């Protein structure tokens, strides 16, 4: 059940925090693509397994980062006054490369916001049908599940769920269909002309089916599962250092409870929002603040009696 304490942000301050960030958003998108292109270029140039394997793992982390930015386009953080521009750029740079669409993701995601962790939440009900989302689970059990995701064991099942069960790729409006067709034609043409099918397969789809799946599972667990109490909006905030912030929870995606409380606030201001909310008495009473994925979250998932990663005040 979602907890809604009396946490308030002044209207003018919320208006300031909630302004779209088109330049910041596009800059971050280009940075993530630059990481991906750089990793592919280096791996292709060296052509050795000792570079190829780390490159695949690294590219999965940046694919995950792109998906967090797709989430920003879903909430129209590029532009709310020009929705066509917002969705077009979001599709081309962050959604269509993963075979999904901004429109399809938004349709599913907004229902998740309206009914978080209830029978009307499509994400929650889908998770409850899968044994891997049942907790508590030991650290060894979580490590095994993460390894299975990393090896691609659940990839087909999960990608099918995203594309078709959640309809993130189908039943889209005509404008989206045209973007889907145009993007597919562009990729097929470029891959054929430049003989790039092997590169796309190895350095895009292999990371997408392996390291990306492991990261999505870990973050999904961290956002709404295995919580010691309901939490704000039935969501957890996971605080990270620079390493986990870059490789596991990029673009402030760990501030998930803050996002659910105020979805209008873009990713680059969630840390500021978190600091403001922590100043309010009701926050300490209800927030679930977990320190780190590899330490705090895994201890919560296992319900370790010695766990001290939840901040109660």
């Amino acid at each position: 059940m979602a907890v809604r304490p009396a946490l308030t942000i002044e209207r003018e301050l919320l208006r300031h925090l909630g302004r779209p960030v088109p330049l910041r958003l596009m800059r971050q998108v280009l940075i993530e693509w630059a990481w991906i292109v750089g990793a592919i270029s280096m791996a292709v140039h060296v052509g050795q397994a000792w570079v190829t394997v780390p490159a695949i793992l690294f590219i999965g982390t940046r694919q995950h980062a792109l998906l967090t930015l797709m989430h920003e386009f879903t909430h129209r953080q590029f532009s709310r006054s020009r929705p066509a521009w917002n969705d077009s750029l979001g599709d081309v740079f962050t959604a269509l490369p993963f075979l999904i669409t901004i429109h399809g993701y938004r349709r599913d995601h907004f229902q998740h916001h309206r009914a978080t962790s209830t029978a009307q939440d499509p994400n929650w009900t889908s998770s409850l049908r899968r044994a891997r989302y049942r907790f508590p689970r030991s650290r060894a059990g979580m490590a095994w599940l993460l390894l299975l995701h990393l090896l691609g064991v659940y990839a087909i099942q999960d990608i099918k769920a995203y594309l078709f069960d959640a309809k993130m790729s189908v039943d889209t409006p005509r404008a989206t269909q045209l973007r889907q067709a145009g993007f597919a034609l562009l990729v097929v043409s470029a891959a054929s002309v430049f003989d790039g099918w092997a590169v796309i397969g190895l350095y895009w789809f292999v990371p997408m089916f392996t390291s990306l799946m492991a990261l999505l599972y870990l973050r999904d667990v961290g956002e709404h599962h295995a919580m010691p109490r309901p939490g704000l909006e039935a969501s957890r905030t996971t605080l990270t250092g620079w390493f986990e912030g870059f490789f596991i929870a990029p673009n402030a995606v760990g501030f998930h409870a803050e996002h659910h409380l105020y979805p209008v606030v873009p990713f680059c201001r969630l840390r500021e929002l978190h600091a403001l909310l922590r100043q309010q008495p009701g926050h300490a009473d209800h927030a679930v603040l977990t320190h780190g994925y590899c330490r705090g979250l895994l201890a919560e998932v296992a319900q370790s009696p010695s766990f001290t990663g939840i901040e109660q005040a």
Side-chain angles (χ1 to χ4, degrees), residues 43-57:
V44 170
H45 176 72
V46 175
Q48 299 292 325
W50 64 271
V51 176
T52 297
V53 173
I56 288 171
L57 295 174

Side-chain angles (χ1 to χ4, degrees), residues 56-57 59-61 149-150 206-207 209-216:
I56 288 171
L57 295 174
I59 290 167
T61 71
H149 281 85
L150 184 62
V206 171
F209 278 64
T210 56
S211 52
L212 175 60
M213 293 294 108
L215 289 168
L216 288 176

Side-chain angles (χ1 to χ4, degrees), residues 34-47 51 59 199 203:
W35 280 116
I36 291 171
V37 171
I40 294 174
S41 299
M42 182 176 66
V44 170
H45 176 72
V46 175
V51 176
I59 290 167
V199 171
Y203 294 109

Side-chain angles (χ1 to χ4, degrees), residues 130-135 137 145 149 154 157-158 217 221:
R130 304 175 190 178
R132 51 196 154 116
Y133 285 94
R134 295 172 193 158
F135 304 99
R137 192 176 295 275
L145 278 174
H149 281 85
Y154 298 107
Q157 177 185 344
D158 286 347
Y217 173 70
V221 171

